[in-house]
Amino acid sequence: MPDGETAAPGQGVGRAFSLRVGILGGGQLGRMTAEAARDLGVEITILEREAGSPAGQIVGPAREIVGDWRNLEARAALAERVDLITLESEFVAADALQWLVDRGTPVYPGPATLRVVQDKLLQKERLSEARLAVPRFKVVRREADLLAAGAELGWPLLLKARRLGYDGHGNATVDGPDATAAAIESLAGSAGRRDGDLDLYVEEFVHFAGEIAVMVTRGRDGSIAAYPVVDTFQQNHICHEVVAPARLPAAVAERARGLAIQAVEAVDAVGVVGVEMFWLDDGTVLLNELAPRPHNSGHYTIEACRTSQFANHLRAVLGWPLGPVELVAPAAAMVNLLGTRSAPANPGGVEEAGSIDRAYLHLYGKRDVRVGRKMGHVTALGDTAEDALARARRAARCIVW
Ligand code: ADP
């Protein structure tokens, strides 16, 4: 019941639907979800290892549980205070989610989805079982598997850790048979060291014309709202810029959108899912990977779409009807603000960036700057992709880290 309201004795005030959502994690994705929750009247409580996290700054100390999701007591403390739980990272162990479900707290996306998606090999297997287009891939348990894959698929190859890869950590390009041992060694931290027991797989190297993404929202009832296809540009394997809508042939965009929806259905996800894809000059579209949560390539939706990815994620996990996803401007561009050196933000730059028409600055409130760390982003709307991108880049350049 809201503060200050009272119910007459015997006149119960029921909860019509869930309004208390817990988030495992308190980074920038949790922060922007909490911002969206405010407008929907949804109360967010987060579980995060350190106090004062980016999301914690939005929900306040009373709704920030400081603890580790690997810890049973911490998970139980969150479950006690919310009607359902969602996440902002795909690295929460599926077993930890199952534990919450077994105790009676619904989790969306559910443990079965996470179990498949958080293991890139199982994810690729699931997608190809569903007859969806993915790069050719092979499991690598030992060095000999990698050599055999090279003979079959050709060099170079992309060797990947099955679990816990992000922003290119966990990937190694293998140029030829002489480079296999070094590539395996470079991933040994995430993949185990024993030949015969490696947690790796390998993909053909895709000579793509471009990288694209679609944010797909899937409701608890299976309803779908798929955002426009966007161009994504990575630097050192980190998403750097996003342009909406993607500049590619309409037939390719349509194929990508359809493929993204089918991929999300194949893993039975609920909530918003970032679907990363490659497109080739011949019009082929291949799935790269799924992220079952709000995603960097969907940040532009805050200003550029009728419903943001964060609002639609909440609507989906709450079982509400999904919001419309159309662009509200002809084009939009997002530029990430990545940490470049250990220096505070330039306050004058914040003001200057704010003065650029139709450019919107988001700073995540991270205390420590590290090189390459996502500190914030800028989205700009424009009449054309070039216009939006120029504006977003100009605003981004004002902020010095
Ligand atoms: P992460 O999970 O770390 O983001 P990805 O597997 O998505 O890693 O790969 C990061 C980047 O590496 C991709 O955005 C793409 O630029 C490149 N990449 C990944 N797989 C392939 C591939 N099979 N062929 C060519 N480039 C690839």
Side-chain angles (χ1 to χ4, degrees):
M1 197 182 322
D3 292 344
E5 276 182 35
T6 51
Q11 190 189 353
V13 177
R15 229 170 236 290
F17 36 70
S18 304
L19 286 174
R20 301 177 306 165
V21 172
I23 304 179
L24 296 167
Q28 67 264 23
L29 301 176
R31 179 185 179 99
M32 290 183 270
T33 306
E35 286 170 341
R38 268 196 313 223
D39 294 340
L40 294 173
V42 172
E43 179 186 297
I44 299 287
T45 303
I46 64 157
L47 172 61
E48 168 61 50
R49 273 194 296 250
E50 279 179 36
S53 62
Q57 293 164 26
I58 302 296
V59 300
R63 302 225 178 100
E64 181 182 41
I65 300 173
V66 179
D68 193 318
W69 62 51
R70 288 172 293 194
N71 179 299
L72 296 186
E73 286 81 40
R75 286 200 307 265
L78 180 64
E80 215 162 83
R81 293 174 53 173
V82 301
D83 301 305
L84 65 91
I85 289 178
T86 186
L87 38 89
E88 60 140 36
S89 161
E90 63 275 35
F91 298 144
V92 184
D95 289 345
L97 301 184
Q98 189 62 55
W99 183 87
L100 286 162
V101 171
D102 292 345
R103 282 181 87 254
T105 305
V107 180
Y108 302 104
T113 299
L114 264 288
R115 206 177 297 285
V116 170
V117 174
Q118 66 194 192
D119 180 328
K120 287 185 178 185
L121 176 66
L122 293 187
Q123 185 188 130
K124 283 264 150 46
E125 284 173 351
R126 173 68 64 86
L127 296 173
S128 59
E129 280 160 16
R131 303 185 162 277
L132 303 179
V134 295
R136 289 180 297 161
F137 64 96
K138 299 273 168 198
V139 61
V140 173
R141 309 291 306 176
R142 55 184 62 77
E143 191 179 355
D145 296 339
L146 183 52
L147 289 163
E152 189 181 335
L153 305 178
W155 306 96
L157 289 172
L158 232 98
L159 185 64
K160 299 189 178 188
R162 288 174 60 173
R163 296 181 192 85
L164 302 178
Y166 71 99
D167 290 347
H169 302 290
N171 287 359
T173 306
V174 196
D175 288 326
D178 295 342
T180 52
I184 289 171
E185 182 61 30
S186 75
L187 298 181
S190 30
R193 279 169 189 280
R194 291 214 337 260
D195 206 52
D197 215 11
L198 299 170
D199 270 335
L200 298 169
Y201 81 103
V202 72
E203 289 178 11
E204 66 177 311
F205 193 93
V206 181
H207 297 280
F208 49 75
E211 294 192 66
I212 51 180
V214 176
M215 298 305 309
V216 177
T217 324
R218 185 161 180 264
R220 273 156 53 172
D221 61 356
S223 54
I224 292 277
Y227 285 87
V229 182
V230 300
D231 285 316
T232 67
F233 301 94
Q234 348 294 324
Q235 259 176 23
N236 300 324
H237 300 274
I238 300 178
C239 174
H240 184 54
E241 295 180 334
V242 170
V243 173
R247 293 159 291 180
L248 37 67
V252 178
E254 209 32 58
R255 188 169 308 133
R257 224 167 143 271
L259 189 59
I261 292 169
Q262 287 179 291
V264 168
E265 288 172 341
V267 299
D268 197 20
V270 171
V272 78
V273 182
V275 183
E276 301 174 10
M277 291 165 281
F278 305 123
W279 72 280
L280 281 64
D281 282 325
D282 67 1
T284 307
V285 180
L286 299 174
L287 289 160
N288 175 25
E289 68 171 340
L290 308 185
R293 53 170 171 75
H295 190 255
N296 200 168
S297 62
H299 291 354
Y300 77 95
T301 62
I302 296 175
E303 288 87 10
C305 294
R306 286 180 61 198
T307 311
S308 80
Q309 64 163 342
F310 302 101
N312 252 345
H313 180 69
L314 286 168
R315 285 168 174 248
V317 300
L318 284 159
W320 296 0
L322 305 179
V325 293
E326 294 80 30
L327 285 165
V328 296
M334 190 251 13
V335 176
N336 271 338
L337 300 171
L338 302 177
T340 52
R341 59 188 166 86
S342 296
N346 163 12
V350 171
E351 198 181 323
E352 202 185 330
S355 71
I356 296 172
D357 188 35
R358 291 198 284 171
Y360 305 90
L361 176 64
H362 296 258
L363 297 176
Y364 304 148
K366 293 185 182 175
R367 301 232 166 91
D368 304 320
V369 186
R370 285 196 303 273
V371 173
R373 190 173 194 207
K374 291 174 183 167
M375 304 304 293
H377 75 265
V378 177
T379 295
L381 308 183
D383 295 330
T384 62
E386 290 68 28
D387 171 34
L389 192 53
R391 228 185 271 274
R393 283 180 179 166
R394 196 144 53 87
R397 271 198 302 272
C398 299
I399 314 296
V400 181
W401 294 99

